[in-house]
Amino acid sequence: MTATATPTVLTARALLLDMDGTLVNSDAVVERIWRRWAARHGLDGDEVLSVVHGRQGHASMAVLLPDRPREENLADNARMLAEETADMDGVVEVPGAAAFLAALRDLPHALVTSADVALSTARMNAAGLPLPEVRITAESVGASKPDPEGFLKGAAELGVAAADCVVFEDSGAGIAAGRAAGMTVVGVGPRAGAHGPDVVVPDLTRVRVEGLPDGTIRLHLG
């Protein structure tokens, strides 16, 4: 399927939802914190920001500082997570996110995020959004997006085959992870279209959810 913003209908048994850039707009804090990190390491801030979206922090550091020991990246990542969790200035919902999650309340869905439990909880709360009952966070996986592990774990937790899941993502790493998991991917927002999702929507106001009697979820996009 070619990525498009024209009206499209998809069906699924479950939805797997990224958080940052998909449900929550945290770009302001991500940019502040990663530009400070870039300056500390003598790196170009724009180059750093082109890498970090969608990945766990230590995975981004491994790309940006390939010669640095993994242990240093993990320790630096822990400091960065604490810094991010303390900074909620400018964190808001992506337009339509609250209504979208409300429509999914009784339907199979999971949060699949590269944030840890503390950061994902803080950001969802700051944006005024409910946390899905099933959550796959940084602590749940051994490999960061673009590895498909998180999405495959989300599908398994929900008891749904990967091919019957639709992923909502905004970043290149996340879209690649969804595709590697064998799932249909809906790209959300301005970053998504460049990374090959199946369908693109500008935000979640362009998504309508319909639960069918047989348990299927019908998505009207565009």
Side-chain angles (χ1 to χ4, degrees):
M1 188 184 300
T2 302
T4 177
T6 58
T8 302
V9 176
L10 299 176
T11 58
R13 290 281 173 183
L15 305 186
L16 302 177
L17 315 174
D18 173 53
M19 182 183 70
D20 290 302
T22 301
L23 298 173
V24 172
N25 183 343
S26 56
D27 283 1
V29 62
V30 169
E31 178 156 342
R32 278 196 299 276
I33 285 175
W34 279 100
R35 283 193 184 280
R36 287 201 297 266
W37 183 89
R40 287 198 297 269
H41 293 280
L43 299 174
D44 179 76
D46 290 340
E47 179 187 348
V48 167
L49 287 170
S50 75
V51 169
V52 301
H53 291 290
R55 290 180 168 88
Q56 291 185 35
H58 65 84
S60 296
M61 293 169 191
V63 173
L64 294 160
L65 299 173
D67 296 326
R68 192 164 76 156
R70 184 170 185 270
E71 293 73 19
E72 288 186 34
N73 289 339
L74 290 172
D76 205 359
N77 182 58
R79 289 189 292 271
M80 292 278 284
L81 283 169
E83 200 176 339
E84 288 184 276
T85 303
D87 186 352
M88 292 295 126
D89 187 22
V91 175
V92 295
E93 71 164 312
V94 167
F100 177 60
L101 288 170
L104 293 177
R105 188 177 293 117
D106 298 319
L107 299 171
H109 67 288
L111 188 71
V112 182
T113 176
S114 295
D116 64 3
V117 169
L119 181 57
S120 58
T121 301
R123 282 190 176 158
M124 291 290 280
N125 287 340
L129 299 175
L131 279 161
E133 184 176 337
V134 177
R135 300 185 289 277
I136 306 298
T137 62
E139 295 93 339
S140 310
V141 298
S144 171
K145 299 171 185 175
D147 192 282
E149 182 185 358
F151 287 125
L152 293 172
K153 283 199 167 183
E157 287 272 343
L158 294 169
V160 176
D164 292 328
C165 295
V166 169
V167 166
F168 282 74
E169 263 285 1
D170 75 300
S171 70
I175 289 166
R179 294 186 73 82
M183 300 170 182
T184 299
V185 181
V186 176
V188 179
R191 277 190 291 271
H195 301 292
D198 296 293
V199 185
V200 178
V201 292
D203 58 42
L204 295 171
T205 65
R206 302 289 289 275
V207 181
R208 184 167 65 84
V209 178
E210 184 183 3
L212 302 180
D214 67 355
T216 300
I217 302 168
R218 184 179 290 160
L219 298 168
H220 302 264
L221 307 161

